[in-house]
């Protein structure tokens, strides 16, 4: 069992920045973020293989968001710059149960998630 604890959400105005953190209770192969806005489907945002640093960004956030990890490999960070109202959502940290991360050939497979965090709310006002 892996516990994921997120922090860093909040309310900002458009153009501002936030940094989310997710700490795992034990080392995992991959960690990252999904988000879910009210009335919308959950979507993949950004993921990273902890050892290699290979990462994925959705088209909606690439060039604005950046994922990184700490030296211990148990915490990932999501730096979110130039936030827009469309980024408003609950951001949920995730880790796989296997060694395979959530994307292959730019397609996100949410069914590969083994562990979910509790989510942290991000609200961006115009």
């Amino acid at each position: 069992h892996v516990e994921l604890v997120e922090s860093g959400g909040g309310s900002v105005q458009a153009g501002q920045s936030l940094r989310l953190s997710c700490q795992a209770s034990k080392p995992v192969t991959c960690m990252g973020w999904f988000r879910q806005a009210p009335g919308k489907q959950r979507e993949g945002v950004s993921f990273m293989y902890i050892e290699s640093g290979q990462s994925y960004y959705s088209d909606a956030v690439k060039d604005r968001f950046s994922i990184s990890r700490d030296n211990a490999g148990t915490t990932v960070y999501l730096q979110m710059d130039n936030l827009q109202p469309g980024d408003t959502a609950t951001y949920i940290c995730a880790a796989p149960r296997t060694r395979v991360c959530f994307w292959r050939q730019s397609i996100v497979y949410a069914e590969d998630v083994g562990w979910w965090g509790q989510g942290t709310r991000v609200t961006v006002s115009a």
Side-chain angles (χ1 to χ4, degrees):
H1 180 77
V2 177
E3 291 188 359
L4 302 172
V5 179
E6 302 112 326
S7 62
S11 297
V12 297
Q13 293 187 326
Q16 293 185 325
S17 300
L18 283 173
R19 189 171 87 148
L20 306 182
S21 300
C22 177
Q23 183 171 21
S25 59
K26 60 179 69 172
V28 293
T29 302
C30 155
M31 289 171 68
W33 301 87
F34 288 76
R35 70 185 181 185
Q36 187 161 20
K40 294 188 176 181
Q41 286 191 331
R42 189 169 294 186
E43 63 173 342
V45 177
S46 182
F47 318 117
M48 171 180 275
Y49 277 102
I50 300 301
E51 185 171 344
S52 70
Q54 184 183 6
S55 56
Y56 162 89
Y57 296 94
S58 70
D59 288 342
V61 307
K62 63 182 179 182
D63 300 328
R64 298 187 298 122
F65 291 11
S66 178
I67 193 169
S68 61
R69 79 272 201 206
D70 69 349
N71 290 335
T74 55
T75 301
V76 292
Y77 306 96
L78 186 67
Q79 177 66 37
M80 305 185 295
D81 296 326
N82 191 22
L83 283 160
Q84 299 299 315
D87 297 315
T88 295
T90 296
Y91 285 71
I92 311 160
C93 185
R97 198 181 296 270
T98 70
R99 298 183 62 81
V100 179
C101 205
F102 312 121
W103 84 98
R104 268 91 70 194
Q105 297 181 333
S106 299
I107 298 174
V108 175
Y109 296 88
E111 59 266 33
D112 290 342
V113 174
W115 318 108
W116 293 100
Q118 82 282 2
T120 186
R121 181 75 179 165
V122 172
T123 302
V124 185
S125 57

